[in-house]
Amino acid sequence: MDDITYMQTCLEYAKKAGEEDEVPVGALVVCRGNIVGIGYNRRESDRCATHHAEILAIEEACRKMGGWRLPDSTLYVTMEPCPMCAGAIVNARIGRVVWGAYDKKAGAFGSVLNLNDLPLNHKPILQGGVLADECSDLLSSYFRGKRSAAKQRKQEQKDKNTPTEEED
């Protein structure tokens, strides 16, 4: 399989996250052509700040591969990793990272900061922008829906608290 095919698979997991009312991010760890780790955001469901898609995929890959070093692996993810996930990628010695949408608010491989610019003991090869439009559209749609629902709840609360003419 190629980068686009793996990213399409990540998008399917991102959609699953969205269906569970999680930020729609999906991730895969691929080693020598085999998917060894799968993850999608589960912070809300698991009530755990560290349950980002990348972390969950890396944890599964480590279990399957029998160790914490994943140098022959590529991590695919629908959104540029945040600092926490970028740190986990470096610590796991993942050889390559491929992502879709850039994260202008928290991206740690170029958008806000670049962990590869620091004198760390490992620097993965980076490739951003694979199926960027599809990944960005999924995220934008999710957040648009969240804002719309919040606006509707606010309006319903306002309507509930406004007396009608009959109550006056």
Side-chain angles (χ1 to χ4, degrees), residues 46-158:
D46 296 345
R47 299 176 193 266
C48 184
T50 62
H51 282 194
H52 287 202
E54 300 95 310
I55 299 294
L56 296 173
I58 290 167
E59 288 177 352
E60 182 178 7
C62 289
R63 283 191 301 274
K64 283 187 178 174
M65 300 303 289
W68 60 269
R69 292 178 191 90
L70 303 168
D72 298 328
S73 298
T74 298
L75 180 121
Y76 293 88
V77 61
T78 55
M79 187 165 74
E80 180 183 3
C82 71
M84 175 184 69
C85 294
I89 289 163
V90 169
N91 281 312
R93 311 297 196 269
I94 291 174
R96 183 168 173 251
V97 181
V98 178
W99 69 86
Y102 284 84
D103 185 351
K104 294 177 174 86
K105 294 183 180 178
F109 280 133
S111 289
V112 174
L113 64 106
N114 189 342
L115 243 55
N116 271 2
D117 289 342
L118 301 176
L120 300 174
N121 60 342
H122 177 72
K123 296 180 189 302
I125 297 166
L126 305 175
Q127 173 67 54
V130 175
L131 296 182
D133 290 342
E134 292 89 334
C135 294
S136 293
D137 289 348
L138 183 61
L139 287 158
S140 294
S141 175
Y142 172 79
F143 286 113
R144 196 170 31 255
K146 294 296 268 185
R147 286 189 299 273
S148 176
K151 185 177 179 181
Q152 183 176 349
R153 281 192 307 276
K154 187 176 181 181
Q155 184 60 48
E156 288 170 358
Q157 186 63 35
K158 183 179 175 185

